[in-house]
Amino acid sequence: MSDKRRYRRATQVAHLGRDPRRFLGAVNTPVFRASTILFRSVAELEQAARGEFPGLSYGLHGLPSVTDLARALAALEGGHAALIVPSGLTATTFPLLALAKPGDHVLVTDAVYGPTRRFCDNHLRRLGVDVGYYDPLLGADIEKVFQPNTTVVFTESPGSLTFEVQDIPAIAAAAHARGARVILDNTWATPLGFRAFDHGVDVSVHAATKYIGGHSDVLLGAVIANADMFAPLWRLWTDMGVAASSDDCFLGLRGLRSLAVRLERHTASAMQIAKWLAARPEVREVLYPPLPGARGHALWSRDFTGASGLLGVVLQPTDAASVARMLDGMRLFGLGWSWGGFESLIIPTWPERARTVTTWNPGGPALRLAIGLEDPQDLIEDLDDGFQRLRG
Ligand SMILES: *Cc1c(COP(=O)(O)O)cnc(C)c1O
């Protein structure tokens, strides 16, 4: 998209990050399989060696589909620029590695995605960074857990198992007042559902594997930064060589084109199913912030511009064998990690096992549902049969 008009979201995802005139008029930026890039002269090669060559100097540093995906996502979320990395987990861990230095204290939400926590515990600590976890529901009160050496606050909203909505503007204000930076794992909402930079976030990260890819066939991550934070991230990205492949970024761009329309359907179906679940006697609580009356609904309504199809369910107390009977017999819902694809998934979760500074005690077994693009009535019938198996 070349003109500077601020188009609406569905238009942006259709047009951002592609320029057919560069590629024989082809609508989509093609895949480039290239490591070596040839220079025309020694003078050009020397320019590249000094880091001053204006074009691409090596395949590692951004083939066209890679940089087009980065430009599209940065523009969509209102960030300064983006880096594409090979997985969502690289996207969550990479800015922590880039921004925290030995002696710093990093605050991480206690509802954080499990593998991000493992990276903090196993590697940030090894590198001399003090990692502290905090209650995801602390808003402005987060200042009470700040230390003089706190430099980074890692947020994830809603938490991807327990769905707490964080007061990101209040956390960002408290952090900035002390010179600290805020990273947000924004995977659930995508750039369409939460415009992180409008709410004070410095670095927004995405598992593009999920809704942006959208088809359960690609692993990708995006790290989007404001103007202040981009330089150190770019430095580490370049120095570590964490490039994503041109093929994978082609799939990321292909997924992006339908993101707005897919999210509308994911959200509408998830809302219909959330309401159906909330009325079931087997269900104690539905964890879906867009649902009126659900935990986090007020903050979600205040800050978000959209939602997605991932939700939690807390069942009435029952034994593990009954839950397994329910899940083992599902016909449409698959049993597997990840989410954001066209197909529905369901898994049992044990969020209480990971917590270190808060307790999560919902009063029954927890499930997580990723509502796909199937007809929601068929999904409801699958769940209805599942509840019959649960009851035995
Ligand atoms: C899946 C996920 C990630 C990691 O993404 P991968 O591409 O699977 O590495 C990070 N954060 C959240 C919230 C996720 O759900």
Side-chain angles (χ1 to χ4, degrees):
M1 228 177 329
S2 48
D3 65 284
K4 294 282 175 244
R5 195 129 66 98
R6 173 84 175 272
Y7 288 100
R8 291 162 186 84
R9 294 180 298 178
T11 310
Q12 290 188 10
V13 298
H15 288 274
L16 282 171
R18 60 188 185 85
D19 180 6
R21 285 163 305 178
R22 278 156 68 209
F23 307 109
L24 308 172
V27 169
N28 295 293
T29 304
V31 170
F32 278 74
R33 294 188 173 277
S35 50
T36 300
I37 303 293
L38 299 177
F39 301 102
R40 281 172 300 190
S41 64
V42 172
E44 263 189 12
L45 188 143
E46 282 187 343
Q47 199 187 2
R50 291 194 303 271
E52 293 163 6
F53 187 62
L56 181 63
S57 58
Y58 190 52
L60 188 62
H61 305 313
L63 294 165
S65 61
V66 182
T67 48
D68 280 0
L69 179 59
R71 282 194 296 124
L73 292 176
L76 202 54
E77 194 158 355
H80 168 73
L83 296 167
I84 304 300
V85 292
S87 72
L89 184 56
T90 314
T92 63
T93 57
F94 187 81
L96 287 164
L97 195 57
L99 302 184
K101 56 186 189 310
D104 283 358
H105 175 242
V106 169
L107 279 169
V108 180
T109 166
D110 210 21
V112 73
Y113 176 65
T116 306
R117 178 189 289 264
R118 274 205 304 273
F119 173 82
C120 293
D121 292 345
N122 293 339
H123 303 288
L124 277 190
R125 284 188 171 140
R126 175 173 58 82
L127 297 171
V129 176
D130 182 11
V131 179
Y133 293 92
Y134 67 90
D135 182 342
L137 296 177
L138 287 181
D141 278 348
I142 197 163
E143 63 173 18
K144 294 184 182 146
V145 294
F146 264 79
Q147 297 180 8
N149 57 340
T150 305
T151 54
V152 176
V153 181
F154 191 98
T155 61
E156 179 181 322
S157 178
S160 65
L161 295 180
T162 46
F163 298 91
E164 294 94 337
V165 179
Q166 297 197 258
D167 191 341
I168 299 292
I171 291 172
H176 293 160
R178 287 152 194 272
R181 302 297 187 167
V182 178
I183 304 171
L184 168 67
D185 184 336
N186 197 18
T187 301
W188 182 87
T190 85
L192 296 185
F194 187 79
R195 289 186 49 95
F197 300 97
D198 293 351
H199 298 284
V201 167
D202 298 288
V203 181
S204 173
V205 301
H206 296 269
T209 306
K210 308 287 167 62
Y211 286 111
I212 293 168
H215 295 74
S216 305
D217 56 6
V218 66
L219 292 158
L220 272 179
V223 180
I224 309 172
N226 63 17
D228 284 354
M229 286 297 97
F230 188 67
L233 294 167
W234 181 85
R235 189 71 261 165
L236 185 67
W237 185 76
T238 303
D239 292 349
M240 278 186 68
V242 282
S245 83
S246 182
D247 302 70
D248 290 347
C249 291
F250 179 92
L251 289 177
L253 281 164
R254 169 179 284 207
L256 183 68
R257 302 301 171 215
S258 60
L259 181 64
V261 68
R262 282 187 290 111
L263 280 177
E264 260 176 44
R265 175 63 179 260
H266 283 296
T267 302
S269 295
M271 183 59 83
Q272 184 180 339
I273 290 167
K275 287 180 174 161
W276 180 82
L277 287 165
R280 292 291 306 202
E282 300 87 351
V283 171
R284 191 178 175 97
E285 186 174 354
V286 176
L287 308 171
Y288 188 54
L291 179 70
R295 291 191 216 202
H297 181 69
L299 272 182
W300 179 83
S301 303
R302 188 192 73 183
D303 292 346
F304 285 65
T305 52
S308 65
L310 191 75
L311 58 97
V313 175
V314 180
L315 299 173
Q316 298 292 0
T318 181
D319 56 293
S322 301
V323 177
R325 232 179 14 249
M326 173 183 177
L327 300 192
D328 287 348
M330 301 304 289
R331 284 169 285 112
L332 295 175
F333 282 87
L335 193 62
W337 307 123
S338 204
W339 40 277
F342 56 85
E343 84 294 9
S344 293
L345 299 169
I346 190 166
I347 52 167
T349 65
W350 303 278
E352 65 282 2
R353 295 184 189 170
R355 301 283 170 133
T356 51
V357 298
T358 54
T359 52
W360 197 76
N361 226 334
L367 306 176
R368 188 179 71 184
L369 281 66
I371 303 303
L373 300 176
E374 302 93 334
D375 189 305
Q377 198 52 45
D378 287 326
L379 297 176
I380 284 175
E381 287 166 20
D382 201 16
L383 290 167
D384 195 29
D385 292 346
F387 283 139
Q388 280 190 34
R389 289 190 298 278
L390 182 80
R391 291 195 307 267

